[in-house]
Amino acid sequence: MIRINLLPFRAARQKENIRRQISAFVLSLVFVAGVLYYISSFWTKKITQLNTQINQINQELTRQTAAAKEVDKINKELAALEKKTQVIMNLKKTRREPIQMLEAMTDLVVAKRMWFTSFSDNDDTVKIKGIALDNKTVADFMTRLEGSGLFSNVNLDSTKQENLKNSLSLKSFDITCSKAKAEEASDKKAASS
C-alpha cells in the first residue's frame, strides 16, 4: 500500500492559517487605529471650533459690556440734563411770580394806614406781619386779599396792641393765606369783571 505523508501539507496549512490570523489581527489593529485616529481628529477639530467660538463670544461679550456701560453713562447724563432742563423750565415759569406778588401787595395795602414788618412766601403759603392804625384797616386789607383772586383761605392769626414812644396806639397783625391756583385766580378775576 502506498502511504502518503500529509504532514508537510498540514504543516503548510497551519502556517497559512497562522498567517491569515496574524494578517486579520494586524488589519484589525490598523482599522481600529485608523478609526481611533479619525475619532480623535474629529473631536480635536470640534473642540478647536468650540474654543474659537467661545473666544469670539467672550470678545463680543466684552464689546457689548463696554457698549452697555457707555449707554448707561449716556442715560445718566441724559437724565441729569433732563432734570436740569426741568429746573430751568420751572424757573422760567415762576420767575415773575415774586415780582407779581410784591406788585399785588403794593396795590392791596391800605395806603398811609398800614405797613409790613415781615413778608414770607413758602410754596403755597404766604405769611404777612405788619402794623396798622386800627382793626378796621386790618379787616380792609384782609378783604382786599380775598378779593384779589391771588389768595385764598385768608386767616388772621393774631392782633396785638402796641404803643410807640410818642404814645401812638397801633395794631400789629399776623395774617396767613394760601396762594390761589392759576385757574382760581382767573375765575375770580372774570367773576369780578
Side-chain angles (χ1 to χ4, degrees):
M1 184 161 108
I2 303 175
R3 287 190 173 179
I4 299 175
N5 188 1
L6 294 175
L7 285 179
F9 179 73
R10 281 186 190 162
R13 214 162 131 196
Q14 271 184 344
K15 281 184 182 178
E16 189 61 35
N17 280 342
I18 290 174
R19 274 189 210 143
R20 243 187 272 153
Q21 287 177 355
I22 290 174
S23 294
F25 179 72
V26 169
L27 284 175
S28 298
L29 282 178
V30 168
F31 178 73
V32 168
V35 168
L36 289 176
Y37 176 76
Y38 174 76
I39 291 172
S40 173
S41 65
F42 172 78
W43 286 112
T44 302
K45 185 178 177 183
K46 194 76 163 170
I47 289 171
T48 304
Q49 287 176 346
L50 291 175
N51 283 338
T52 303
Q53 285 179 349
I54 288 171
N55 288 338
Q56 289 173 346
I57 289 171
N58 284 338
Q59 289 173 353
E60 184 66 25
L61 180 66
T62 303
R63 275 196 305 271
Q64 295 299 330
T65 303
K69 286 180 182 178
E70 186 69 25
V71 167
D72 288 343
K73 180 181 174 186
I74 290 171
N75 284 339
K76 286 180 184 176
E77 289 174 357
L78 185 61
L81 185 62
E82 285 177 7
K83 202 180 264 188
K84 289 177 183 177
T85 304
Q86 187 64 32
V87 168
I88 290 171
M89 295 306 273
N90 286 341
L91 286 174
K92 280 185 178 181
K93 286 180 184 177
T94 60
R95 74 179 182 186
R96 294 187 183 243
E97 186 177 310
I99 296 169
Q100 291 171 344
M101 178 82 61
L102 289 174
E103 189 175 313
M105 282 297 147
T106 58
D107 292 341
L108 296 174
V109 74
V110 179
K112 298 184 182 178
R113 299 201 46 84
M114 65 175 288
W115 60 93
F116 296 139
T117 58
S118 171
F119 183 84
S120 66
D121 179 11
N122 298 327
D123 294 330
D124 291 336
T125 305
V126 176
K127 293 186 179 190
I128 304 168
K129 293 183 181 182
I131 297 177
L133 293 177
D134 55 15
N135 286 334
K136 183 180 181 322
T137 305
V138 175
D140 288 343
F141 177 64
M142 289 176 63
T143 305
R144 287 181 179 189
L145 286 175
E146 287 177 343
S148 70
L150 298 173
F151 302 100
S152 62
N153 301 327
V154 178
N155 296 319
L156 179 64
D157 292 335
S158 67
T159 59
K160 292 180 190 173
Q161 182 79 28
E162 285 197 20
N163 293 320
L164 295 178
K165 292 180 183 178
N166 59 3
S167 70
L168 185 61
S169 178
L170 300 174
K171 301 287 183 184
S172 72
F173 61 90
D174 293 339
I175 296 175
T176 304
C177 53
S178 301
K179 291 182 190 175
K181 305 282 189 247
E183 301 144 4
E184 293 175 15
S186 64
D187 290 344
K188 285 186 178 180
K189 283 186 179 179
S192 66
S193 296

